[in-house]
Amino acid sequence: MELENLVRESGEWLRGTGRESDIVISSRVRLARNVASYPFVTRLTPQERNELEKLLREVIDQLPDQLQLTYVDVDQLDELDRQLLVERQLISRELAEAEGPRGVAFEPQEQLSLMILEEDHLRIQVVHSGLELQAAWEQIEQVHRLLEERLTFAFHEQFGYLTACPTNVGTGMRVSVMMHLPALVLTRQMDHLFRSLQKINLAVRGLYGEGSQPVGDFFQISNQVTLGRSEQDLLRQVGDVVPTILEYERKAREYLLKEGYENVLDQVNRAYSILKACRTISSEETLQLLSRVRMGVNMGLIQDVPLEVLNRLIVYTQPAHLQKLHGEQLDSAQRNIHRARYLRQLLSDGEETASE
Amino acid sequence: MELENLVRESGEWLRGTGRESDIVISSRVRLARNVASYPFVTRLTPQERNELEKLLREVIDQLPDQLQLTYVDVDQLDELDRQLLVERQLISRELAEAEGPRGVAFEPQEQLSLMILEEDHLRIQVVHSGLELQAAWEQIEQVHRLLEERLTFAFHEQFGYLTACPTNVGTGMRVSVMMHLPALVLTRQMDHLFRSLQKINLAVRGLYGEGSQPVGDFFQISNQVTLGRSEQDLLRQVGDVVPTILEYERKAREYLLKEGYENVLDQVNRAYSILKACRTISSEETLQLLSRVRMGVNMGLIQDVPLEVLNRLIVYTQPAHLQKLHGEQLDSAQRNIHRARYLRQLLSDGEETASE
């Protein structure tokens, strides 16, 4: 099936291109939409759910060929494939874990994806590597226009687009940037940043969206309020705060190099050497150590690892990717051993610290 | 001064020779003695203390030349030199921190040392590398005989030798073995061993004697009761338990190799690679990691580090040794950086994980 292709590339959000891509991993815009003639997802009868899935799938099929969309019937996937799509950030954990007809359509380059019957009937998402909110917005607006030509979305003159959860009513839009902020973590400035962002109604999450804990110094910053704001307002609200955070992170890195050179080099060297030497390692620890190494590469402390290798490792050391690479299911202990082996393969330069 | 010579060699307790020296680091016997005509140390007037120090120093001077004893006036030493003697285990922390006239005499090979005016007037100590309790006993008995020819020790017909602390009354003897038990720690069997040893009146301490926490899987096992026992009883009491502990540790290592090969290799590889890669490291962490590497070498998991290098590192990464090597005083942060540099020097095989 088409998912096998996914294992060959890293996906858009870790491509490492775009502006400020040393710190801004990716920019994302998503729109929540519901078809006016059907109740919200939780109120659908099984019959209606079937109908609606068919309808939306057909509409997606009719979208221009140049979009090269592939529709995947998530209900037909086994758990490993669903998990793979979650790790790619093509579907949410919610869609993976839901029951009944549901699906996702995405392009080969994985910038655009459309989730069918998640919390809302339709969730349109565009992700661009680096700080590229405007480009992401332009792409999603275009797709949205194409969809609105074919579907009537639930819309209220006063409130705007209607959504299953009241927090999305209005534009139904969430704008987010994923940032890599290891120096702010090391200099203990994240708590302060959290509070400042909360005050201006921005939320901070981990790599894997809602409810996920930040791991490995990766933070997703997004708007919380959508009602009563225009799309451009929301893009500006998130976009305007990014240069400030970038500056904080860059200043913190300068500070670390100047005031704590040995300490930061210590952290980076330890992380890099553990990744090359370990024989068993969890995905969480891997992410934490890769984060340190990524910082080291961006700060010029490590020369011999290309950023693409690190980006690749971030996603390929996740449980489902690892199992796909291996070609069969592995339990947690086996995964930890295979993960360490894969890390040694990609990072070690021939040297071995101990007998094989 | 003579202490400079100490920095060139590792000292007896880390020579790594003697029976079972993969697990038994050293065997030690010490005798507590007091001169009958003087009160115990805490009751001495400054005048008496001066007299007694002079007397004991003279007696030591008169001991046969072949003992090659050097007397060091501990009161005249600066803090760094006192700390150096503590790290060599030639004097106790108590003697280092005491005030007023006091001293220590020791041989070049550091097997025999005599502490003057520690808790008791005289503490005679013999340390042999490996499991060599009987040899240590024979050496200390000989020295004790020589001293008893020249001094009358406080002795009570019923109780035996009298000492400042009632726990030492009787033989005034403490017998101890320092063991390296990483596999028992990793398999969580130490608590059970602690309790079993306590039941038969044996105490378990860390590398640096009374009150020291076990660090780096090094445990000092010694008798607690001395009253009402003969010297041979005490030697047997400690000596008899060692083969059992050795067997436990060896079985635990076999178990680790068989049942948790990847995990134990992981622990060993991580420890070794951190020691080679770090840029700042505390003495405690160093000891913990060296302990893992030492286990790895003894289990055949690491081939390229000689045990002598590890033994040398155990003592030379201690704060005073490090400063002596460097040639000047260093604060804690500087020591951590110099310690990491020294470790890289002795362990790395030319490769560097990051820019210097």
Side-chain angles (χ1 to χ4, degrees):
Chain A
M1 89 141 294
E2 305 85 354
L3 293 192
E4 301 306 325
N5 294 327
L6 292 181
V7 186
R8 300 210 193 108
E9 291 286 331
S10 294
E12 173 65 17
W13 69 280
L14 281 167
R15 218 175 291 286
T17 55
R19 290 183 301 140
E20 319 286 6
S21 62
D22 56 333
I23 293 174
V24 182
I25 305 288
S26 60
S27 305
R28 170 188 318 255
V29 180
R30 76 104 167 99
L31 298 172
R33 293 293 183 265
N34 290 275
V35 178
S37 49
Y38 284 87
F40 288 136
V41 169
T42 51
R43 301 294 182 121
L44 290 171
T45 64
Q47 167 76 16
E48 287 171 326
R49 193 178 172 114
N50 269 323
E51 268 177 41
L52 186 52
E53 197 258 349
K54 209 170 284 174
L55 168 68
L56 290 168
R57 192 201 282 230
E58 278 166 17
V59 167
I60 288 169
D61 272 351
Q62 290 157 16
L63 289 176
D65 283 351
Q66 78 218 42
L67 288 181
Q68 293 185 272
L69 287 173
T70 306
Y71 186 85
V72 174
D73 184 337
V74 174
D75 201 35
Q76 297 293 316
L77 295 180
D78 63 19
E79 210 194 306
L80 193 55
D81 280 330
R82 289 202 298 268
Q83 180 60 25
L84 189 74
L85 291 174
V86 172
E87 292 175 4
R88 294 306 270 217
Q89 309 206 337
L90 289 171
I91 68 172
S92 63
R93 220 172 277 279
E94 290 76 359
L95 191 73
E97 289 165 8
E99 289 189 6
R102 64 200 190 282
V104 64
F106 53 87
E107 333 155 291
Q109 67 270 38
E110 297 177 43
Q111 287 187 328
L112 167 68
S113 72
L114 300 127
M115 278 193 285
I116 308 301
L117 294 166
E118 202 239 24
E119 188 181 288
D120 294 293
H121 296 167
L122 189 61
R123 291 241 167 151
I124 318 165
Q125 169 182 278
V126 168
V127 182
H128 282 213
S129 179
L131 181 57
E132 303 290 349
L133 280 176
Q134 198 58 39
W137 165 246
E138 283 162 18
Q139 188 178 351
I140 208 168
E141 206 192 11
Q142 216 173 351
V143 175
H144 181 251
R145 212 177 300 128
L146 292 169
L147 288 163
E148 220 164 19
E149 286 167 10
R150 292 159 174 86
L151 291 164
T152 306
F153 291 134
F155 187 84
H156 183 280
E157 273 200 16
Q158 194 187 341
F159 301 134
Y161 290 100
L162 299 178
T163 53
C165 177
T167 57
N168 289 317
V169 169
T171 58
M173 175 153 129
R174 175 160 281 159
V175 178
S176 64
V177 283
M178 176 100 65
M179 301 186 77
H180 183 222
L181 305 172
L184 289 177
V185 172
L186 281 173
T187 55
R188 293 170 205 279
Q189 292 179 81
M190 274 313 294
D191 274 356
H192 181 70
L193 183 60
F194 274 174
R195 282 194 301 274
S196 310
L197 292 174
Q198 251 165 3
K199 273 185 207 153
I200 53 171
N201 286 314
L202 293 177
V204 181
R205 298 187 172 84
L207 261 187
Y208 288 104
E210 203 131 12
S212 70
Q213 281 303 306
V215 172
D217 317 320
F218 295 100
F219 300 91
Q220 205 185 101
I221 293 152
S222 61
N223 65 305
Q224 283 184 302
V225 178
T226 142
L227 190 66
R229 303 283 188 100
S230 75
E231 285 81 356
Q232 285 301 326
D233 273 356
L234 295 175
L235 283 168
R236 225 176 291 122
Q237 194 199 4
V238 176
D240 283 359
V241 86
V242 174
T244 313
I245 303 177
L246 274 170
E247 197 193 329
Y248 285 170
E249 172 67 18
R250 295 228 160 89
K251 281 215 170 120
R253 291 182 184 191
E254 275 168 39
Y255 172 85
L256 287 174
L257 282 177
K258 222 163 115 185
E259 304 297 325
Y261 180 73
E262 290 290 341
N263 282 313
V264 71
L265 188 55
D266 182 62
Q267 300 263 4
V268 167
N269 279 7
R270 282 173 183 242
Y272 189 29
S273 70
I274 291 172
L275 286 172
K276 289 194 288 184
C278 66
R279 305 290 298 206
T280 169
I281 190 165
S282 70
S283 56
E284 187 162 315
E285 189 187 2
T286 302
L287 211 49
Q288 272 159 351
L289 298 177
L290 285 172
S291 163
R292 291 287 150 86
V293 173
R294 193 178 191 280
M295 178 183 74
V297 170
N298 283 327
M299 286 169 81
L301 299 172
I302 294 183
Q303 270 87 29
D304 60 348
V305 203
L307 263 189
E308 307 89 73
V309 170
L310 288 179
N311 286 349
R312 188 179 169 84
L313 284 172
I314 288 172
V315 65
Y316 281 78
T317 55
Q318 298 288 328
H321 275 78
L322 207 64
Q323 291 172 82
K324 278 286 177 185
L325 279 174
H326 181 64
E328 60 183 87
Q329 283 218 311
L330 300 165
D331 66 25
S332 164
Q334 292 170 323
R335 284 201 301 272
N336 291 349
I337 291 172
H338 280 273
R339 185 175 292 114
R341 196 173 294 166
Y342 184 63
L343 285 163
R344 285 202 306 284
Q345 260 175 32
L346 265 80
L347 292 177
S348 78
D349 23 53
E351 27 131 351
E352 271 299 320
T353 47
S355 53
E356 277 297 302
Chain B
M1 88 139 298
E2 305 84 354
L3 293 193
E4 301 306 326
N5 294 327
L6 292 182
V7 186
R8 299 210 194 109
E9 291 285 331
S10 293
E12 174 66 15
W13 69 280
L14 281 167
R15 218 175 291 284
T17 56
R19 290 183 301 138
E20 319 285 6
S21 62
D22 56 334
I23 293 173
V24 182
I25 306 287
S26 61
S27 305
R28 172 188 317 257
V29 180
R30 77 105 167 99
L31 297 173
R33 293 292 183 266
N34 290 277
V35 178
S37 48
Y38 284 87
F40 288 137
V41 169
T42 50
R43 301 295 181 121
L44 289 172
T45 64
Q47 167 75 17
E48 288 171 327
R49 192 177 172 114
N50 268 323
E51 269 179 40
L52 187 51
E53 196 259 350
K54 209 170 283 172
L55 168 68
L56 290 168
R57 190 200 284 231
E58 279 167 16
V59 168
I60 288 169
D61 273 351
Q62 290 157 18
L63 290 176
D65 284 349
Q66 76 220 44
L67 289 182
Q68 292 183 273
L69 288 173
T70 305
Y71 187 86
V72 174
D73 185 337
V74 174
D75 202 34
Q76 296 294 314
L77 295 181
D78 62 18
E79 211 194 305
L80 192 57
D81 281 331
R82 290 201 298 267
Q83 181 60 24
L84 188 75
L85 292 174
V86 172
E87 292 175 5
R88 295 306 270 215
Q89 308 206 339
L90 289 170
I91 70 173
S92 62
R93 220 170 276 278
E94 290 76 358
L95 191 74
E97 288 164 8
E99 288 190 5
R102 64 200 189 281
V104 63
F106 53 87
E107 332 155 289
Q109 67 271 39
E110 299 177 41
Q111 288 187 326
L112 168 67
S113 72
L114 299 128
M115 279 194 282
I116 308 301
L117 294 166
E118 202 240 24
E119 186 180 288
D120 293 292
H121 297 166
L122 188 62
R123 291 240 168 151
I124 318 164
Q125 169 183 278
V126 169
V127 183
H128 282 213
S129 178
L131 182 57
E132 302 291 350
L133 280 175
Q134 199 56 39
W137 164 247
E138 282 163 19
Q139 188 179 351
I140 209 168
E141 204 192 13
Q142 216 174 353
V143 175
H144 181 252
R145 211 177 302 125
L146 292 169
L147 288 164
E148 219 164 22
E149 284 167 13
R150 290 160 175 87
L151 291 163
T152 306
F153 290 134
F155 187 85
H156 184 281
E157 274 200 17
Q158 196 188 338
F159 300 134
Y161 290 101
L162 300 178
T163 53
C165 176
T167 57
N168 289 316
V169 169
T171 57
M173 174 153 129
R174 175 160 283 158
V175 179
S176 63
V177 282
M178 176 100 66
M179 301 185 78
H180 183 222
L181 305 172
L184 289 178
V185 172
L186 281 173
T187 54
R188 296 172 203 278
Q189 293 182 80
M190 275 313 294
D191 275 356
H192 180 72
L193 183 60
F194 274 174
R195 282 194 301 273
S196 309
L197 292 173
Q198 251 165 2
K199 274 186 207 152
I200 54 170
N201 286 315
L202 293 176
V204 181
R205 298 186 172 86
L207 261 188
Y208 288 104
E210 203 129 16
S212 71
Q213 281 304 306
V215 173
D217 318 318
F218 296 101
F219 301 90
Q220 207 185 99
I221 293 152
S222 61
N223 66 305
Q224 282 184 304
V225 178
T226 143
L227 190 67
R229 304 282 189 99
S230 75
E231 284 81 358
Q232 284 302 327
D233 274 356
L234 295 175
L235 283 168
R236 225 176 292 123
Q237 195 199 2
V238 176
D240 283 359
V241 87
V242 174
T244 313
I245 303 177
L246 273 170
E247 199 193 329
Y248 285 171
E249 172 67 18
R250 296 226 159 90
K251 281 214 170 122
R253 291 182 184 192
E254 275 168 39
Y255 171 85
L256 287 174
L257 282 177
K258 223 164 114 185
E259 304 296 325
Y261 180 73
E262 290 289 342
N263 283 313
V264 72
L265 188 55
D266 182 62
Q267 300 264 3
V268 167
N269 279 7
R270 282 172 183 243
Y272 190 29
S273 69
I274 292 172
L275 287 171
K276 289 195 288 185
C278 66
R279 305 289 301 205
T280 168
I281 190 165
S282 70
S283 57
E284 187 160 315
E285 189 187 1
T286 302
L287 210 49
Q288 272 158 349
L289 297 177
L290 285 172
S291 163
R292 291 287 150 87
V293 173
R294 193 179 190 280
M295 178 184 73
V297 171
N298 283 328
M299 285 169 81
L301 300 173
I302 294 183
Q303 270 86 30
D304 60 346
V305 202
L307 263 189
E308 307 88 72
V309 170
L310 287 179
N311 286 348
R312 188 180 168 85
L313 283 172
I314 288 172
V315 64
Y316 281 78
T317 55
Q318 298 287 327
H321 275 78
L322 206 65
Q323 291 172 81
K324 277 287 178 184
L325 278 175
H326 181 65
E328 61 184 84
Q329 282 219 310
L330 300 165
D331 66 26
S332 165
Q334 292 170 322
R335 285 202 300 274
N336 290 349
I337 291 173
H338 280 272
R339 185 175 293 114
R341 195 174 294 167
Y342 184 62
L343 285 163
R344 285 202 307 282
Q345 260 174 33
L346 266 80
L347 291 178
S348 79
D349 23 52
E351 28 129 351
E352 271 300 319
T353 47
S355 52
E356 276 299 302

